[in-house]
Amino acid sequence: EEKELLQNGFFDAIVDGEQKRCCKINRIPMNSVAIVHVVTVHSPSLIFVRIINTIRDRLVVREPATLSPLKDRELEEFYYVLCPIEERTYGRARIIKIEPHPTNDNEKLVQLILIDDGNIVWANSSSLVSMDPDLSPGAKDLAYHPWQTSAVSLAGISPKKTPKNRDRNWEEKVRLRLQKLIDGFEKFKTKATTLHKNHNDYGVASVVSLLGLREKKDEEEEEKKYKINYVKPTLVRP
């Protein structure tokens, strides 16, 4: 089915008969072969990778850039905003969930995904600022660049269904074991499965094979470490 091509960035659109401010930021699908860094591991079914030639560091905003507090209309699920990532520094984020604040009726708790880092975080609504350039001139052009991370899922693996795990969720110990394996490599090659190559929904994690790559010097060091010097045997007579 053909998808409607939406304008990239912030724009006004008619939604359910009403004019609404919208935002569209493209993603980089892993639908072929790519060399990447693994940046965040949530489970074998959700790993965020980042291509080698990234512009992530250019997509953060630092004070004293001109930024506007978040408007009430912008506090909505799946809207793009700026979220604090360091002191006086903001990164691009997308709202996932909004919940009441447990102690402040004038505040909301917001769950977000940092689209350039792959982290899922919680923040107070008052700490968020607008990414709309009409409101925050300091955020100009941020919405025209794609997500700097891509979600991938490991091919050929799924959680085992047991009486205690009927929903087939991944256990934390599995994530920790996977993280330990990934920590042994700096770079990886992703190779999309045949099934996923023609998938046109960028909101779905790409199903891939994830191959750890060793640097050549690391391979040489490994060879030296385990190399056994060959000595020609000599016949010893009694």
Side-chain angles (χ1 to χ4, degrees):
E1 180 182 353
E2 290 295 326
K3 300 289 184 180
E4 181 184 359
L5 183 62
L6 298 179
Q7 180 180 348
N8 199 32
F10 285 87
F11 57 94
D12 294 316
I14 304 299
V15 180
D16 297 330
E18 297 182 2
Q19 184 166 320
K20 189 176 180 182
R21 191 68 168 163
C22 302
C23 181
K24 170 72 174 177
I25 300 182
N26 291 327
R27 310 187 193 193
I28 302 173
M30 296 288 107
N31 54 9
S32 57
V33 176
I35 305 300
V36 301
H37 294 293
V38 171
V39 292
T40 312
V41 178
H42 295 282
S43 74
S45 299
L46 183 60
I47 301 171
F48 282 92
V49 300
R50 184 187 291 143
I51 59 175
I52 300 299
N53 298 323
T54 179
I55 60 170
R56 183 265 180 192
D57 292 339
R58 291 164 46 191
L59 299 176
V60 297
V61 182
R62 295 178 174 85
E63 295 181 359
T66 304
L67 300 172
S68 171
L70 205 64
K71 303 292 185 183
D72 289 341
R73 63 174 174 80
E74 296 181 293
L75 191 60
E76 125 180 342
E77 290 182 355
F78 309 123
Y79 202 74
Y80 287 95
V81 299
L82 290 175
C83 175
I85 55 174
E86 297 174 7
E87 186 176 356
R88 305 182 70 181
T89 305
Y90 297 86
R92 303 189 304 167
R94 194 179 196 189
I95 296 175
I96 300 174
K97 187 188 301 182
I98 303 170
E99 295 186 354
H101 197 282
T103 60
N104 188 349
D105 293 338
N106 298 320
E107 188 89 74
K108 298 289 185 182
L109 281 179
V110 185
Q111 188 181 46
L112 310 101
I113 179 168
L114 302 176
I115 66 174
D116 300 320
D117 297 315
N119 294 323
I120 297 175
V121 299
W122 286 91
N124 291 328
S125 56
S126 60
S127 69
L128 307 176
V129 298
S130 176
M131 194 166 69
D132 189 336
D134 288 354
L135 301 172
S136 295
K140 182 182 178 182
D141 298 335
L142 286 185
Y144 293 104
H145 299 283
W147 292 37
Q148 295 301 294
T149 58
S150 299
V152 300
S153 177
L154 297 185
I157 183 172
S158 61
K160 185 177 180 180
K161 186 175 181 179
T162 65
K164 293 183 179 180
N165 189 18
R166 295 184 182 277
D167 294 333
R168 302 183 71 173
N169 295 319
W170 289 106
E171 296 181 8
E172 176 64 8
K173 64 180 181 181
V174 176
R175 187 195 69 80
L176 293 175
R177 288 177 61 190
L178 176 59
Q179 183 70 64
K180 187 175 181 180
L181 287 172
I182 286 175
D183 288 344
F185 300 90
E186 181 182 354
K187 297 178 183 178
F188 295 81
K189 177 189 288 187
T190 61
K191 185 176 181 182
T193 62
T194 304
L195 176 65
H196 194 82
K197 284 182 179 178
N198 296 322
H199 204 297
N200 62 353
D201 185 354
Y202 291 176
V204 176
S206 302
V207 182
V208 302
S209 296
L210 189 66
L211 310 174
L213 301 178
R214 289 189 181 275
E215 298 288 342
K216 188 171 183 180
K217 61 180 181 180
D218 293 339
E219 292 180 352
E220 292 174 353
E221 289 297 324
E222 198 76 8
E223 288 178 4
K224 289 179 182 178
K225 183 177 178 181
Y226 294 104
K227 184 175 180 181
I228 299 176
N229 293 321
Y230 177 75
V231 178
K232 184 176 181 180
T234 301
L235 179 61
V236 179
R237 297 183 182 277

